[in-house]
Short mmCIF file of all heavy atoms in Angstrom, two decimals:
data_model
loop_
_atom_site.label_atom_id
_atom_site.label_comp_id
_atom_site.label_asym_id
_atom_site.label_seq_id
_atom_site.Cartn_x
_atom_site.Cartn_y
_atom_site.Cartn_z
N ILE A 9 -34.51 28.93 21.70
CA ILE A 9 -35.43 27.87 21.32
C ILE A 9 -36.53 28.39 20.41
O ILE A 9 -37.07 27.66 19.58
CB ILE A 9 -35.98 27.13 22.57
CG1 ILE A 9 -36.58 25.78 22.20
CG2 ILE A 9 -37.04 27.96 23.25
CD1 ILE A 9 -35.59 24.69 22.14
N VAL A 11 -36.19 30.23 18.00
CA VAL A 11 -35.70 30.30 16.62
C VAL A 11 -36.12 29.07 15.83
O VAL A 11 -36.43 29.15 14.66
CB VAL A 11 -34.15 30.45 16.61
CG1 VAL A 11 -33.61 30.37 15.21
CG2 VAL A 11 -33.76 31.74 17.27
N LEU A 12 -36.16 27.89 16.48
CA LEU A 12 -36.52 26.66 15.81
C LEU A 12 -38.02 26.43 15.92
O LEU A 12 -38.59 26.46 17.01
CB LEU A 12 -35.79 25.47 16.44
CG LEU A 12 -34.26 25.47 16.34
CD1 LEU A 12 -33.69 24.29 17.10
CD2 LEU A 12 -33.82 25.43 14.88
N GLU A 33 -24.55 1.21 19.85
CA GLU A 33 -24.27 0.07 18.98
C GLU A 33 -22.78 -0.04 18.67
O GLU A 33 -22.23 -1.13 18.64
CB GLU A 33 -25.09 0.17 17.69
CG GLU A 33 -26.57 -0.04 17.88
CD GLU A 33 -27.36 0.16 16.59
OE1 GLU A 33 -26.78 0.00 15.49
OE2 GLU A 33 -28.55 0.48 16.69
N LYS A 34 -22.15 1.10 18.43
CA LYS A 34 -20.72 1.12 18.12
C LYS A 34 -19.93 0.56 19.30
O LYS A 34 -19.00 -0.24 19.12
CB LYS A 34 -20.26 2.54 17.79
CG LYS A 34 -18.80 2.64 17.37
CD LYS A 34 -18.47 4.01 16.81
CE LYS A 34 -18.20 5.00 17.90
NZ LYS A 34 -17.65 6.28 17.40
N GLU A 36 -21.04 -1.55 21.52
CA GLU A 36 -21.32 -2.98 21.58
C GLU A 36 -20.49 -3.75 20.55
O GLU A 36 -19.94 -4.81 20.84
CB GLU A 36 -22.81 -3.24 21.37
CG GLU A 36 -23.68 -2.77 22.52
CD GLU A 36 -25.18 -2.81 22.22
OE1 GLU A 36 -25.56 -3.13 21.06
OE2 GLU A 36 -25.96 -2.50 23.13
N VAL A 44 -13.60 -11.26 20.12
CA VAL A 44 -13.09 -12.12 19.05
C VAL A 44 -11.57 -12.18 19.10
O VAL A 44 -10.97 -13.25 18.99
CB VAL A 44 -13.58 -11.63 17.66
CG1 VAL A 44 -12.85 -12.37 16.53
CG2 VAL A 44 -15.08 -11.80 17.54
N GLU A 47 -10.51 -14.34 21.95
CA GLU A 47 -10.66 -15.76 21.58
C GLU A 47 -9.50 -16.20 20.69
O GLU A 47 -8.94 -17.29 20.87
CB GLU A 47 -12.00 -15.94 20.85
CG GLU A 47 -12.26 -17.35 20.38
CD GLU A 47 -13.54 -17.45 19.58
OE1 GLU A 47 -14.46 -16.63 19.80
OE2 GLU A 47 -13.63 -18.35 18.72
N ARG A 63 -6.37 -4.60 8.85
CA ARG A 63 -6.10 -3.26 8.29
C ARG A 63 -5.65 -3.37 6.83
O ARG A 63 -6.11 -2.62 5.96
CB ARG A 63 -5.04 -2.55 9.12
CG ARG A 63 -4.74 -1.14 8.63
CD ARG A 63 -3.65 -0.46 9.45
NE ARG A 63 -2.42 -1.19 9.52
CZ ARG A 63 -1.46 -1.19 8.58
NH1 ARG A 63 -1.62 -0.50 7.47
NH2 ARG A 63 -0.36 -1.88 8.75
N ARG A 72 -1.71 -1.11 -1.59
CA ARG A 72 -0.92 -2.00 -0.74
C ARG A 72 0.37 -2.40 -1.45
O ARG A 72 1.44 -2.41 -0.85
CB ARG A 72 -1.76 -3.23 -0.40
CG ARG A 72 -1.43 -3.84 0.91
CD ARG A 72 -2.45 -4.86 1.37
NE ARG A 72 -2.60 -5.97 0.46
CZ ARG A 72 -3.74 -6.59 0.18
NH1 ARG A 72 -4.85 -6.19 0.75
NH2 ARG A 72 -3.79 -7.59 -0.63
N ALA A 106 27.57 -10.62 -0.51
CA ALA A 106 26.89 -9.35 -0.78
C ALA A 106 27.18 -8.90 -2.20
O ALA A 106 26.31 -8.34 -2.87
CB ALA A 106 27.33 -8.30 0.23
N ASP A 108 27.61 -10.78 -4.77
CA ASP A 108 26.76 -11.55 -5.67
C ASP A 108 25.38 -10.90 -5.81
O ASP A 108 24.84 -10.77 -6.91
CB ASP A 108 26.57 -12.99 -5.16
CG ASP A 108 27.85 -13.80 -5.17
OD1 ASP A 108 28.72 -13.52 -6.02
OD2 ASP A 108 27.96 -14.71 -4.33
N ASN A 127 12.00 -0.70 -26.26
CA ASN A 127 10.57 -0.77 -26.59
C ASN A 127 9.83 0.53 -26.38
O ASN A 127 8.63 0.62 -26.70
CB ASN A 127 9.91 -1.88 -25.77
CG ASN A 127 10.39 -3.25 -26.18
OD1 ASN A 127 9.92 -3.79 -27.17
ND2 ASN A 127 11.36 -3.78 -25.46
N MET A 153 14.66 3.82 -12.14
CA MET A 153 14.80 4.46 -13.46
C MET A 153 14.33 5.90 -13.40
O MET A 153 14.94 6.78 -14.03
CB MET A 153 14.02 3.67 -14.52
CG MET A 153 14.70 2.41 -14.96
SD MET A 153 13.85 1.67 -16.36
CE MET A 153 13.35 0.13 -15.62
N ALA A 155 14.49 7.82 -10.73
CA ALA A 155 15.53 8.54 -10.00
C ALA A 155 16.75 8.82 -10.88
O ALA A 155 17.42 9.84 -10.70
CB ALA A 155 15.95 7.75 -8.76
N SER A 160 10.00 9.26 -16.74
CA SER A 160 9.39 10.37 -16.00
C SER A 160 8.65 9.84 -14.78
O SER A 160 8.33 8.65 -14.71
CB SER A 160 8.39 11.10 -16.90
OG SER A 160 7.26 10.26 -17.14
N GLY A 166 -1.08 7.59 -13.84
CA GLY A 166 -0.13 6.53 -13.52
C GLY A 166 0.79 6.18 -14.67
O GLY A 166 1.55 5.22 -14.60
N GLN A 169 6.64 8.37 -19.01
CA GLN A 169 7.23 8.56 -20.34
C GLN A 169 8.68 8.14 -20.30
O GLN A 169 9.37 8.33 -19.30
CB GLN A 169 7.12 10.04 -20.77
CG GLN A 169 5.70 10.57 -20.83
CD GLN A 169 4.86 9.83 -21.84
OE1 GLN A 169 5.29 9.53 -22.94
NE2 GLN A 169 3.63 9.52 -21.45
N VAL A 170 9.19 7.60 -21.42
CA VAL A 170 10.60 7.26 -21.53
C VAL A 170 11.33 8.57 -21.86
O VAL A 170 11.00 9.24 -22.84
CB VAL A 170 10.85 6.21 -22.62
CG1 VAL A 170 12.34 5.93 -22.76
CG2 VAL A 170 10.08 4.93 -22.30
#
Side-chain angles (χ1 to χ4, degrees):
I9 198 85
V11 173
L12 296 176
E33 290 176 25
K34 184 169 82 170
E36 291 170 356
V44 170
E47 178 184 333
R63 182 181 55 82
R72 209 168 60 216
D108 294 332
N127 292 279
M153 283 188 243
S160 70
Q169 301 298 318
V170 177

